[in-house]
Each structure stands twice: as C-alpha cells, then as structure tokens.
Amino acid sequence: MSLPEDTTVLVVGAGPAGLTAALSLVHHGCHDFVIVDAMVEGLRASRAVTIHSATVEALASIDAVDGLLSQAIRGKGFKITSRSSQIFEAKFDYLKKYSAHPYALYIPQNVTELVLGQKLQSLGVQVQRPHRVVGMKQNEKDPRVTDVSFEDGQVIRARYIIGADGARSIIRTIAGMGFSDPEGPNAAENSLVQMVSADVTFEPEPVDPFTLEGYLSGTVFSGNFFFFAPFGNSFNAELTGDEKPTTKSIFRVACAIPRKNGEPPHAPPKEYIQKLIDTYGPACITSDPSLNPRPVKVDQLVWSTRHRSQSAIADRIFTRFGAAIFLVGDAAHIHSPAGGQGMNLGMRDAIFLTEAITKHIQASAENPDGDDAILQEIADARHARALEIIGFTKTLSNLASLAYDPYAWWMPVSGASVRDLVLRILGGFDCVQSKVAWGLSGLGRR
C-alpha cells in the first residue's frame, strides 16, 4: 500500500502504545498523521494481560476505553500464595475512594490491540502494514523535517515521529538515543531474569480458590516466582485463532527459570510447561497426587514463549533529528513484569506525550520558530516516571526471588520465610492492603 509523501506525525509501531498514541492524536484534534507497523498482522498471543486503574482512567480521558470495558475481566485483586495457602491479598475495592475505575482489567494483549485497532478504524484511521523503517535523515530543505525511508523504498517526510517500535527500536537506534540499565552496566541481576510464559488448558479443569476469575496470583516457592491468571473462556477465539475454539477455560502461566536449569527452549513444549507447573506452581494445578488430591495436567498448549526480564531505559525519550522524535512503550523503557506495569506505562506515556505534541503543533502554527520547552518538559516528566517504575519493579522482583535457604546453621531462618511471615501479618491490616492496591494501580504515578 502506498504511503503519503508528507505527514505531520508519523507513529511507528501498532502495539498498545502506538495505537493509544494514534487514538490520543485524534482525540486532541490532530488528524494529519500516519501509523505504520512492520508486521503483516499483530501477534496472536496474550503477552501483557493487565490494564491497571490509572491506565483505564487515561484511556477514558481520550474516549478509548469502552471497548475494553465491555470485553475484559474486571480484576478484583491480586494474591500472593505459597504452593498450598494464601500469604497476602490486595483487593482493588480499596481504590473506590480514589477512582471511578476501582479495578484492573484482565485482557490478553492481542485482544487489547484488536479493540484499540477497531476503535481507530471507527475514527477513519487504518494501520498501514507491513512497512518497516530502515532509515532516517534530516530533510535538506526544512531542518525541522525528517525523511523516513522504508524497506520497500517509500519515503515519508514527517515533523514529529513517535517511536513505538519495541525494545529493539530502529527509531531509537538511528536517532542515537542510548538504552541501558539505569543502575549501570554492572547492575545485579536477580534470579528472575529468565522467564517462560504460556497459555494452557487443563484436564480436568482445576477447582480451587486460586483459580477464581477476577484474581491473579503469584506463587513464591524455592526462591522462584510463578504467575497464574485464569481467563475463563472469555478470549478463546482470539487466543486460539480457531473457528471452533476449545470451550475449556484458558489459563496464563508464567515462571522464572533458575540459571542452574540452563536456558529455556525458544517455544517451550507442553512437557516443559508441565514440569514447571509441577515444580513451582500452586498445588491446585499440578499433576502430582502427593500435592494435589485432584491431579490435573496440561491438556492444550495454546501458546508459549521465553523472554528475559531485564531493565533498561533510553537516556532520553525526546530528541531532535530534524523532526521532533519521541519514544514510548518498550522503545523507551523495559523492566521486570512484576506488578504488570510495562504496557500500562507505555500507554500512559503515549497519551501524555501526544497531548503535548498537539499543543506544540498548534503553537508552531502561530510561531514556527518557537522553542521545544513544552515537549522537553513532558519528556523529562515521563522519563522520571519510568525510572520510578523501574525501581518499583526491581524491588518487587527482589522480594519475589528471596530464597528459603537458612542464613546459617545457627540461624535457621531465611529471607523468604521472613518475607512470608511479614506479609501474612501485614495482610490483616486494611491500610496495608490499600497501600499495595494503590501502588499496583498506578494512580499515584500516572
């Protein structure tokens, strides 16, 4: 498909952050933009599954949340468990005094992208696919325009470029924006750096309070962390791609892979996932009769992947390369999935940055030689927010990775056992549950 030769704004990448940026541009009155993606179609995989309260509010502010509200599971809270019992629970009901949306939305990322894409289409905007950026250079005639070249030979001249093209961002690379752990090249890695995620069905289906829809759970065991999310059968068609999808409930499982176990396979098979569940998962979904009086096994492996849980941030998320260039989402920052913050931060970045961009467009129409103060101010604020989130997720990951090994023969306690005891005690106080729900919601760090 042919691309226009000129546009005011070019959005590169049509994941959640890029689609949100496009919707926000429309909402704020900017219609001269193009959104492109390198893929023929989006991935059919659940990936990020949580949209927190602050992000729901932000999407509502640009009239882009109704479709998600109609399809998502409204999350009631988050549980931390041992293999057989609950350690701590954070209920989102505590958010009622702070937000009109006192819940998280549990919805697979591919469904989020589908819903946002449909909303964009209803506004007359189509994602242009597949168009892969391969180069950028400052326009020879206008120093505030960049010529963006694509793999198929087409070129677009743009005044603003939003790089929403993922952790390996070509926009970031060409613009010369660094990308590293904020703690430096020698930052310590915790034991959760290797992860495996999968969507599965079970036979028979598990029956246990941990599996109730509306709750996500994280199981801590043997210095590891196992994530468990029930989707019910709400998204079976979107996750399987089948015309006649399974009627069984689909569950998301994710598990850290200890370094001693070596590198996990690229697309872990069903047997590998079953072994992880039996070794680290909550007892209610294991096949081991000594742990589970009603053993269950993985029946269908819908999707699986491996990934590394690393932290990195661009040294800046706004620069001039002729055009004003911005980074959002994974192009700007990556970090541990602990707390489900990554996609949320990227979507909020997109909304706040595009609001500033539209204001700058309007100001530039009146004063073409005006400065970039409004752009730099919001970019600095979003960069600071990303650093805060990275610190938050590192703290969560470090707590989750504490081992149960005793400190010494003369001190038969461990960091993990102390953590569990403290959580069990503090979990009985409403003020603590409220603070944890607040921290996860993002309402205090929009």
Side-chain angles (χ1 to χ4, degrees), residues 390-401:
I390 288 174
F392 177 66
T393 58
K394 283 193 173 191
T395 297
L396 292 179
S397 294
N398 289 335
L399 285 172
S401 63

Side-chain angles (χ1 to χ4, degrees), residues 21 32 57 61 81 109 130 161 169 175 178 182-183 207 216 222 233 255 297 300 318 336 362 364 369 379 445:
D32 184 22
E57 284 193 354
S61 74
T81 75
Q109 183 174 325
I161 299 169
S169 171
E183 294 181 0
V207 179
L216 306 185
S222 189
N233 52 19
C255 186
K297 289 188 176 182
Q300 180 182 356
F318 162 63
S336 163
Q362 294 163 3
S364 296
D369 297 322
R445 52 171 73 92

